[in-house]
Amino acid sequence: MLADEIKKITSEVSTDEATLNKYSEDYSIFKVMPQAVVSPKNKEEVKALVRFASEKKKKGKNVSLTARSAGTDMSGGPLGESIIVEFTKYFNHIREIGADYSVVEPGVYYRDFEKKISERGLLYPPYPASKDLCAIGGIVNNNSGGEKTLKYGKTEDYVEGLEMILADGEEYYLKPLAGAELKKQLAEKSFLGEIYRKLFKLIEDNYEIIKAAKPKVSKNSAGYYLWNVYPPAQAGDKKTFDITKLIVGSQGTLGLVTAAKLRLIKKQKYSRLIVVFSKSLQPVPDIVKTILPFKPESIESYDDKTLQLAVRFLPALLKLMKGSAFKMFFKFLPEVGMILRGGIPKMIILISISSDDEEELEKEAGKIKAALEPFPVQVRVVTDPAEAESFWTIRRQSFNLLHSNAKGMYAAPFIDDLVIDPKHMPEFLPAVNAILDKYKDKLIYTIAGHPGNGNFHIIPLVNLKDEATRALIPAITKEVTDLVLKYGGSITAEHNDGLIRTPYLKDMYGEKIVSLFAEVKKIFDPQNIFNPGKKVGADLAYAKAHLKRG
């Protein structure tokens, strides 16, 4: 038995039905039953697991390792048929917090991390909307972004170094290298040295096609980020070779991250939320264009269906809000009143600004409000943190509300993370609606997201027990994918590829780039030990066969 053999490495092995069922699912539409769930206690046990998997592979056994932290992934990324390596139980330490950085393990929940760094006046800006649920391992391996990405960038911009166990079962510290350090690494006779040499040659030999393949949108989580290994500002002379840029967003397919050094910034003292209620989607692109010069921290949005959902599940929503539920209910009443009067907006836009100078912040909020006066919208400047929290909770918790409360239906994230240039929104959003509305007898859907980046999260609500509905999922995915690519976008801005989008990477990048992705996987993981079937080697038939049944 596989479990008996693993127990020689670590005693924390579970094969009972309840545990396997729990780890067979994430927040995606898939269910993949593993053989065992392992919670390694230390790095030596992780190394031993990798060596164990390698030996089994050499003997022709189908053994693999799939890393998992909080399990909030929406793409099927942390699902596998062999061994799930669970990090939240023991790899859950914040090792160090410095003046502008932190060293943190993959099993640390972001909510705990946020609390600790906030006590020191620090902020990790690219936290995702699932910040109360997710963990650092998923943030790094998915290249997460969120409401502050518009101003501050994504995870790839904040990883300064990674501790990682590679396919040889040894741990390495990966960081940007230049000059003599890079030359030394390229000459080193070791497993890592060989990775550097092969990767360096792959990029050198294909540099122009790799540069051309970079998606022309503000954020992207599709594929391996070969174009980021040389920082764009230095692309001409290629001074810095940053292998961490390839590991970020790789979904655990290249090795197992055991710690990350993350850059932090100073948290500003004051913030304001400007809420815009628009009865039409038509002015949204021009609103975004008008607001961008003010350099807001975020421009977020959610649609009328999301607001209706919030009202429908108001008791559950109040539990998710911070502070007194009674107080939050009265803060929410204006939105309830709006809906009851029939004045429900088609889109709610949240504009966040911050500053260390409160007077300056008030002036800036006034300027933004004035700039929006020509538009047919209602605008409210929110000064009460509790009221602001009510709007943010609706935005952040919309998927969680669907996931937890929709009886007989399932929140199915299969077209959930589209990104295009914001200038295309007037044509793009109605086209997406037209595709989905063709299937309105089989699904309802909500739209939320980041209009400042042209990034939208579309969550259909479907009955996965219905065979006709299940058959529609690949067809709708292909239609929407083709539309995104028609507008030069990316099929995933933040949520990554996993089981759901890896089969469509060839549509997005073409045969040559996908073949380079396969070479990258082989360079790092020649035996295909780490999280197979994600990023490369995908099978659409496999994905279809592992759809949940509700």
Side-chain angles (χ1 to χ4, degrees):
M1 290 288 290
L2 181 66
D4 293 332
E5 294 181 79
I6 300 171
K7 283 177 182 176
K8 296 174 183 176
I9 301 169
T10 173
S11 60
E12 294 280 344
V13 184
S14 299
T15 57
D16 61 281
E17 185 178 356
T19 299
L20 296 184
N21 263 308
K22 176 183 175 182
Y23 287 89
S24 71
E25 299 183 359
D26 54 4
Y27 274 28
S28 73
I29 57 175
F30 300 105
K31 185 179 183 69
V32 180
M33 192 67 70
Q35 293 181 55
V37 177
V38 180
S39 298
K41 293 180 178 179
N42 52 49
K43 293 178 184 180
E44 292 309 312
E45 290 190 354
V46 180
K47 292 178 186 179
L49 278 169
V50 174
R51 289 192 288 266
F52 170 80
S54 177
E55 287 303 313
K56 289 296 179 184
K57 283 282 190 179
K58 289 173 185 175
K59 295 176 182 177
K61 303 294 184 182
N62 188 22
V63 174
S64 63
L65 305 174
T66 297
R68 178 171 174 135
S69 293
T72 57
D73 190 279
M74 297 167 74
S75 74
L79 306 183
E81 292 185 344
S82 188
I83 302 169
I84 303 297
V85 185
E86 190 279 322
F87 281 102
T88 58
K89 190 167 184 179
Y90 294 110
F91 281 79
N92 55 15
H93 302 96
I94 301 170
R95 293 197 206 153
E96 184 182 358
I97 301 176
D100 59 357
Y101 73 92
S102 180
V103 179
V104 59
E105 293 177 346
V108 173
Y109 283 93
Y110 182 80
R111 59 181 181 257
D112 300 325
F113 180 60
E114 181 181 47
K115 182 178 178 181
K116 290 295 184 184
I117 62 176
S118 292
E119 289 170 358
R120 304 196 185 194
L122 297 170
L123 172 72
Y124 176 75
Y127 60 80
S130 60
K131 70 186 188 114
D132 293 333
L133 305 170
C134 67
I136 296 296
I139 286 174
V140 170
N141 280 287
N142 279 332
N143 190 19
S144 294
E147 61 202 40
K148 294 186 185 295
T149 292
L150 178 64
K151 181 172 182 176
Y152 295 109
K154 288 183 66 184
T155 295
E156 63 194 81
D157 303 306
Y158 290 85
V159 173
E160 296 186 339
L162 293 168
E163 294 176 22
M164 190 167 179
I165 294 169
L166 298 177
D168 64 342
E170 297 298 328
E171 185 186 53
Y172 300 91
Y173 184 69
L174 307 179
K175 65 176 184 176
L177 297 178
E181 267 193 311
L182 178 57
K183 287 180 181 178
K184 180 181 178 182
Q185 184 63 74
L186 289 167
E188 189 177 278
K189 303 299 181 184
S190 67
F191 184 76
L192 183 60
E194 188 68 9
I195 285 176
Y196 267 86
R197 285 188 291 277
K198 288 180 177 179
L199 186 60
F200 194 90
K201 186 177 189 305
L202 182 148
I203 296 174
E204 284 283 314
D205 290 350
N206 299 278
Y207 195 66
E208 294 305 318
I209 189 173
I210 287 170
K211 279 201 304 181
K214 183 177 182 179
K216 295 173 177 61
V217 285
S218 62
K219 52 185 178 178
N220 169 61
S221 284
Y224 291 123
Y225 318 140
L226 283 165
W227 40 83
N228 284 349
V229 177
Y230 293 128
Q234 299 177 349
D237 51 21
K238 305 177 188 177
K239 288 180 179 177
T240 303
F241 193 88
D242 189 354
I243 200 169
T244 70
K245 299 294 188 188
L246 196 63
I247 305 303
V248 170
S250 63
Q251 285 201 306
T253 60
L254 305 181
L256 300 176
V257 173
T258 53
K261 182 181 180 182
L262 303 177
R263 180 169 65 90
L264 307 176
I265 67 170
K266 184 176 174 291
K267 189 176 183 179
Q268 293 187 302
K269 294 180 182 178
Y270 307 103
S271 64
R272 287 292 179 273
L273 180 66
I274 299 101
V275 185
V276 181
F277 303 93
S278 179
K279 290 188 178 181
S280 165
L281 294 176
Q282 194 60 37
V284 172
D286 286 332
I287 289 171
V288 170
K289 187 176 179 180
T290 298
I291 296 307
L292 284 174
F294 291 95
K295 300 189 186 318
E297 282 192 324
S298 59
I299 304 176
E300 297 289 287
S301 69
Y302 51 87
D303 68 349
D304 51 344
K305 296 183 181 71
T306 306
L307 185 56
Q308 289 169 332
L309 178 75
V311 174
R312 180 180 171 188
F313 300 130
L314 186 56
L317 184 71
L318 290 172
K319 289 181 182 178
L320 294 168
M321 292 181 181
K322 297 172 184 176
S324 163
F326 182 77
K327 181 178 179 182
M328 298 305 293
F329 174 77
F330 282 98
K331 292 298 180 186
F332 193 75
L333 276 180
E335 279 55 67
V336 176
M338 182 189 302
I339 293 171
L340 292 175
R341 291 192 302 271
I344 184 168
K346 190 69 177 175
M347 186 72 75
I348 296 91
I349 303 170
L350 311 179
I351 303 162
S352 177
I353 57 175
S354 64
S355 173
D356 287 328
D357 185 327
E358 192 167 20
E359 186 177 342
E360 177 187 287
L361 191 65
E362 295 291 352
K363 289 179 181 177
E364 192 75 356
K367 289 177 183 178
I368 290 174
K369 187 175 182 181
L372 293 172
E373 284 180 0
F375 295 98
V377 296
Q378 292 177 272
V379 181
R380 183 190 305 167
V381 178
V382 179
T383 58
D384 182 350
E387 185 178 1
E389 187 63 29
S390 70
F391 288 103
W392 283 120
T393 302
I394 295 169
R395 166 64 189 92
R396 293 167 184 157
Q397 299 291 346
S398 56
F399 175 75
N400 195 27
L401 284 171
L402 276 172
H403 186 75
S404 304
N405 294 282
K407 307 301 180 187
M409 304 284 275
Y410 191 84
F414 60 91
I415 48 168
D416 54 290
D417 193 32
L418 320 173
V419 58
I420 47 128
D421 188 311
K423 69 183 180 184
H424 296 309
M425 280 194 289
E427 312 104 56
F428 178 78
L429 284 177
V432 171
N433 285 328
I435 291 172
L436 296 177
D437 287 345
K438 288 191 300 183
Y439 308 100
K440 59 187 177 183
D441 60 325
K442 291 292 184 183
L443 59 83
I444 59 175
Y445 61 94
T446 63
I447 300 178
H450 320 278
N453 295 108
N455 176 204
F456 293 93
H457 303 309
I458 303 172
I459 309 293
L461 197 62
V462 301
N463 178 5
L464 285 176
K465 294 178 181 178
D466 178 59
E467 289 299 328
T469 300
R470 294 165 66 84
L472 285 176
I473 289 175
I476 296 171
T477 301
K478 185 67 167 69
E479 281 188 76
V480 174
T481 295
D482 289 346
L483 181 67
V484 171
L485 300 182
K486 174 185 173 182
Y487 285 95
S490 169
I491 56 177
T492 175
E494 301 171 338
H495 295 173
N496 221 287
D497 299 313
L499 291 171
I500 191 66
R501 280 177 283 271
T502 297
Y504 299 96
L505 287 176
K506 194 177 292 184
D507 292 343
M508 180 170 167
Y509 288 115
E511 192 82 43
K512 176 61 177 176
I513 291 296
V514 169
S515 73
L516 293 181
F517 292 163
E519 284 188 51
V520 168
K521 173 68 170 172
K522 191 173 181 180
I523 287 169
F524 278 84
D525 185 19
Q527 294 178 286
N528 200 23
I529 292 169
F530 301 116
N531 206 13
K534 324 303 185 327
K535 295 291 184 182
V536 299
D539 183 343
L540 187 56
Y542 180 90
K544 290 179 185 178
H546 286 83
L547 289 175
K548 289 177 183 173
R549 293 201 171 268

